[in-house]
């Protein structure tokens, strides 16, 4: 029997029996973890409300054996709130749908339990913090998170230089299958010709240039969101269920 302590973001919860839940978290030290939280659905539960989606928590796990991830699910025996991001997200539809898509993305990119994914974890914490504070439009925060999640997982798109030959940009064409912007010589069937302002916006979101992103016109934001969604779908091989509900 072993005790483990880690901090993480609650990604989702599932009912188990009459009073328990299975909690899925993205943790700093152990990556994605599923654990059983006993009695948290009872009205007298002391820490059930802390284990809701979007919550940033410090959690203690009890596991059989010397490893947290083994043949059975560990127990979540204690939880302390680090930051209740959900309080600033669930009351606003645009923030809630964007946040839900972030949680689903983080879970999809960490499909092997127990494998540390520190960059993805830090990216999710920062995105939820920004979203809960309302510092930028929710759909911009989401698109920035999606692009950076793709980047930290090895799928970084290019929005200027040619993705195939490296020809300095800006380049007119964009190909999801080729990895982003492509020159006229590297253009493949299915390439699109987005507005230069759209490619500038996506580059700003990827690099964190919020001054440029916040000043962008809505039509370019919508076009950019479509490219991000298509690029994500290509590399994940299927889309996000929650993305269809996001307000643009």
């Amino acid at each position: 029997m072993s005790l483990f302590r880690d901090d993480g973001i609650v990604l989702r919860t599932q009912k188990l029996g009459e009073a328990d839940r299975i909690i899925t978290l993205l943790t700093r030290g152990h990556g994605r973890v599923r654990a059983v939280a006993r009695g948290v659905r009872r009205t007298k539960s002391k820490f059930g409300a802390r284990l809701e989606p979007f919550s940033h928590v410090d959690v203690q796990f009890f596991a059989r054996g010397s490893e947290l991830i083994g043949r059975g699910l560990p127990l979540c025996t204690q939880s302390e709130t680090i930051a209740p991001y959900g309080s600033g997200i669930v009351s606003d539809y645009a923030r809630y749908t964007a946040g839900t898509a972030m949680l689903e993305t983080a879970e999809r990119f960490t499909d092997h339990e127990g494998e540390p994914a520190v960059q993805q974890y830090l990216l999710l914490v920062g995105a939820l913090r920004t979203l809960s504070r309302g510092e930028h439009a929710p759909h911009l925060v989401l698109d920035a998170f999606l692009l950076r999640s793709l980047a930290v997982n090895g799928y970084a798109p290019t929005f200027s230089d040619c993705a195939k030959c490296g020809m300095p940009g800006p380049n007119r064409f964009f190909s999801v299958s080729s990895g982003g912007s492509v020159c006229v010589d590297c253009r493949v069937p299915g390439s699109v010709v987005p507005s230069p302002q759209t490619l500038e916006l996506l580059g700003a979101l990827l690099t964190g240039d919020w001054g440029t992103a916040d000043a962008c016109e809505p039509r370019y934001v919508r076009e950019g969101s479509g490219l991000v969604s298509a690029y994500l779908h290509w590399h994940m091989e299927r889309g996000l269920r929650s993305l269809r509900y996001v307000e643009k």
Side-chain angles (χ1 to χ4, degrees), residues 17 44 53 62 66 92 122 126 134 141-142 157 163 165 169 184 206 209-210 234:
K44 295 182 179 179
F62 177 79
S66 60
D92 181 90
L122 294 175
V141 179
L142 172 60
C165 71
V184 64
L206 182 59
D209 180 2
W210 285 105
W234 173 268

Side-chain angles (χ1 to χ4, degrees), residues 5-160:
R5 200 168 193 95
D6 208 341
D7 57 271
I9 296 288
V10 179
L11 300 179
R12 64 187 174 99
T13 65
Q14 299 167 267
K15 292 181 180 180
L16 179 66
E18 295 183 357
D20 306 337
R21 278 195 179 123
I22 297 175
I23 311 296
T24 302
L25 305 101
L26 178 57
T27 65
R28 180 190 294 270
H30 298 87
R32 185 163 63 88
V33 174
R34 290 189 307 145
V36 174
R38 290 181 173 169
V40 294
R41 288 164 55 202
R42 295 194 180 102
T43 55
K44 295 182 179 179
S45 174
K46 295 181 179 180
F47 68 101
R50 302 170 194 164
L51 295 173
E52 292 293 335
F54 306 112
S55 296
H56 188 194
V57 291
D58 182 318
V59 186
Q60 179 175 279
F61 301 103
F62 177 79
R64 297 179 183 275
S66 60
E67 300 292 335
L68 177 58
I69 305 300
R71 288 179 295 178
L73 295 180
L75 297 179
C76 176
T77 58
Q78 186 177 340
S79 173
E80 298 293 337
T81 299
I82 298 175
Y85 295 131
S87 61
I89 294 176
V90 298
S91 59
D92 181 90
Y93 181 79
R95 293 184 194 177
Y96 175 75
T97 52
T100 301
M102 290 179 190
L103 298 185
E104 185 181 352
T105 300
E107 184 171 2
R108 292 276 294 278
F109 273 128
T110 54
D111 53 350
H112 297 292
E113 291 188 26
E115 292 186 3
V118 178
Q119 286 184 300
Q120 185 68 67
Y121 164 78
L122 294 175
L123 190 61
L124 181 60
V125 171
L128 292 180
R129 182 189 302 119
T130 300
L131 188 66
S132 67
R133 293 175 178 174
E135 297 175 359
H136 308 284
H139 52 275
L140 288 178
V141 179
L142 172 60
D143 285 343
F145 173 78
L146 296 178
L147 288 172
R148 296 177 195 180
S149 291
L150 285 160
V152 300
N153 285 279
Y155 307 117
T158 175
F159 299 114
S160 180

Side-chain angles (χ1 to χ4, degrees), residues 92-101 104 138-139 142 229 240-248:
D92 181 90
Y93 181 79
R95 293 184 194 177
Y96 175 75
T97 52
T100 301
E104 185 181 352
H139 52 275
L142 172 60
S229 178
L240 298 177
R241 294 188 302 273
S242 53
L243 204 56
R244 71 187 70 173
Y245 302 110
V246 175
E247 287 189 337
K248 303 295 185 181

Side-chain angles (χ1 to χ4, degrees), residues 150 155-159 163-164 173-182 186 188-194 202 223-237:
L150 285 160
Y155 307 117
T158 175
F159 299 114
K164 300 187 73 174
F173 302 96
F174 187 91
S175 169
V176 168
S177 61
S178 298
S181 294
V182 290
C186 297
V188 297
S191 298
V192 296
V193 186
L202 296 179
E223 185 178 37
S225 293
L227 292 180
V228 173
S229 178
Y231 194 84
L232 183 75
H233 183 98
W234 173 268
H235 287 286
M236 282 190 165
E237 299 182 353

